[in-house]
Amino acid sequence: MKYYARRLTFYVITLWAAISLNFFIPRLMPGNAEDIFRAKMARKGELTPAMEKSIQLLFGSDDQASLWDQYLRYWNNLLHGDLGTSITKFPAPVSELIGQALPWTIVLVGLATVLSFVIGISLGAWVGWRRGTWVDGVIPASTLLQSVPYFWLALILIAVFSVNLAWFPIIGGYDTFMFPDGPVPTWEFFSSAVYHGFLPALTIVLSSVGGWLLGMRNMMVSTLSEDYITTAEAKGLRPFRILTTYATRNAALPSLAGFSVSLGFVVAGSIVMEQVFTYPGVGKLMINAVQDKDFALMQGVFLVITVTVLAANFLMDLLYGFIDPRARHNG
């Protein structure tokens, strides 16, 4: 129980520090979102006295609040789900924009990350079990794919399968002439989303499966030389049971830590990949926010990414402590 209490305390303090930095860093930067938005409205000829008052109310500059009062107000807004208002898509709330992009990234990058992990760990365990045979030839091919920059691999897949063969679309997350009908998407819209997301998902799987495979293979080779594996073989246990229960389970433990980090960065998405495919995810939303200097939107995206990374690592720590009792006693 002390293990879980320590981990919970650590992540609560880390979350507080991350949210505090998310508040202070934009305010220490030169310029602010209010000035940018005011200049944007002035260029359009829409900066009336009423609009000026609305801008002051929107960004909280109508009162001379201290930095501490602004900090407390920021926490109060967060607890009420208010992440601010986007200046490039005014008056859309930041939480609404992130909520629209988040499902696309979670479904695409999340499923692709889990799939690449499962494939890599399974192949790595098999290659490590059959070490020294022709199966080791899988390693150079997977390592080559891993060494290729994933955005370059995405461009190759687009050139081959989208431009030359015309099997898949070049851009977008769904057919532009098809929109979800109500909160539950139709089968046609779902099929269109899967069709558009196939190449981006394939890019992620091909570029990341090699790392999981190589790491798992090396851990399997090390685990198979342990005394408890020799003891299991001496007892006459079936090879399949030794492979799954004794070797794979222990060899996969280090990979779980890396998987928790990868799972946490699912929300960040493969930023460049989403830009290459013009995929409507959080990664593309963040790039647009940086290009347009939309500080409120950047702040909201960074906060969501931070919280997701911490939550994924916390859940994986709990799982790690459940799988490996040594972590509970020594961690």
Side-chain angles (χ1 to χ4, degrees):
M1 194 65 185
K2 292 182 179 179
Y3 167 78
Y4 298 112
R6 285 196 302 268
R7 303 314 298 167
L8 179 60
T9 302
F10 169 78
Y11 282 108
V12 168
I13 295 175
T14 305
L15 178 62
W16 167 79
I19 293 178
S20 299
L21 287 174
N22 198 50
F23 169 80
F24 285 109
I25 289 179
R27 285 160 177 79
L28 297 177
M29 295 173 60
N32 56 63
E34 180 181 347
D35 293 338
I36 295 174
F37 186 71
R38 184 182 287 108
K40 179 181 178 181
M41 292 294 103
R43 286 195 301 267
K44 294 181 178 181
E46 301 176 358
L47 191 60
T48 61
M51 176 62 74
E52 179 74 25
K53 182 63 177 178
S54 299
I55 293 175
Q56 293 176 353
L57 291 173
L58 176 65
F59 292 98
S61 61
D62 57 312
D63 56 351
Q64 300 300 322
S66 64
L67 189 62
W68 173 251
D69 291 334
Q70 295 179 33
Y71 180 67
L72 294 179
R73 184 187 305 168
Y74 176 72
W75 271 98
N76 181 65
N77 292 337
L78 282 183
L79 295 177
H80 288 84
D82 183 7
L83 299 178
T85 304
S86 171
I87 62 174
T88 56
K89 300 183 182 299
F90 183 83
V94 170
S95 56
E96 179 181 326
L97 296 175
I98 296 177
Q100 293 173 354
L102 198 58
W104 293 96
T105 296
I106 290 178
V107 173
L108 173 68
V109 186
L111 288 179
T113 301
V114 173
L115 188 60
S116 63
F117 175 76
V118 172
I119 294 175
I121 292 299
S122 302
L123 287 177
W126 180 55
V127 173
W129 181 258
R130 300 289 303 276
R131 63 195 181 282
T133 64
W134 64 271
V135 180
D136 278 336
V138 177
I139 297 176
S142 62
T143 305
L144 176 63
L145 288 175
Q146 183 191 7
S147 62
V148 175
Y150 66 89
F151 62 88
W152 191 65
L153 180 61
L155 292 174
I156 293 177
L157 292 178
I158 290 176
V160 174
F161 296 104
S162 297
V163 178
N164 294 332
L165 299 178
W167 288 356
F168 296 98
I170 299 178
I171 61 174
Y174 56 91
D175 191 341
T176 55
F177 298 101
M178 184 180 301
F179 299 95
D181 186 13
V184 180
T186 61
W187 173 252
E188 290 76 13
F189 180 82
F190 177 77
S191 302
S192 177
V194 172
Y195 178 57
H196 282 72
F198 182 82
L199 278 188
L202 182 62
T203 302
I204 298 174
V205 171
L206 290 179
S207 61
S208 58
V209 71
W212 300 119
L213 191 154
L214 183 60
M216 185 61 182
R217 188 264 180 191
N218 293 337
M219 284 304 304
M220 279 290 293
V221 172
S222 176
T223 302
L224 290 173
S225 63
E226 296 290 341
D227 293 338
Y228 58 85
I229 298 294
T230 305
T231 303
E233 293 173 342
K235 287 182 177 180
L237 297 179
R238 292 178 300 171
F240 182 77
R241 184 180 179 186
I242 297 175
L243 170 63
T244 56
T245 306
Y246 291 85
T248 302
R249 179 179 179 181
N250 289 281
L253 288 177
S255 297
L256 287 176
F259 179 63
S260 66
V261 176
S262 301
L263 203 60
F265 279 102
V266 161
V267 172
S270 298
I271 298 176
V272 180
M273 184 276 298
E274 290 188 1
Q275 185 70 8
V276 170
F277 287 97
T278 319
Y279 195 80
V282 175
K284 189 174 185 302
L285 184 66
M286 183 166 64
I287 289 180
N288 293 338
V290 173
Q291 291 174 342
D292 298 332
K293 297 181 180 179
D294 192 338
F295 294 115
L297 186 55
M298 280 191 286
Q299 202 172 10
V301 172
F302 292 152
L303 178 62
V304 171
I305 293 174
T306 301
V307 172
T308 307
V309 171
L310 292 177
N313 279 272
F314 176 65
L315 293 176
M316 198 56 62
D317 272 353
L318 298 183
L319 179 62
Y320 201 95
F322 175 77
I323 295 176
D324 189 1
R326 294 172 297 180
R328 297 195 299 267
H329 298 291
N330 303 326

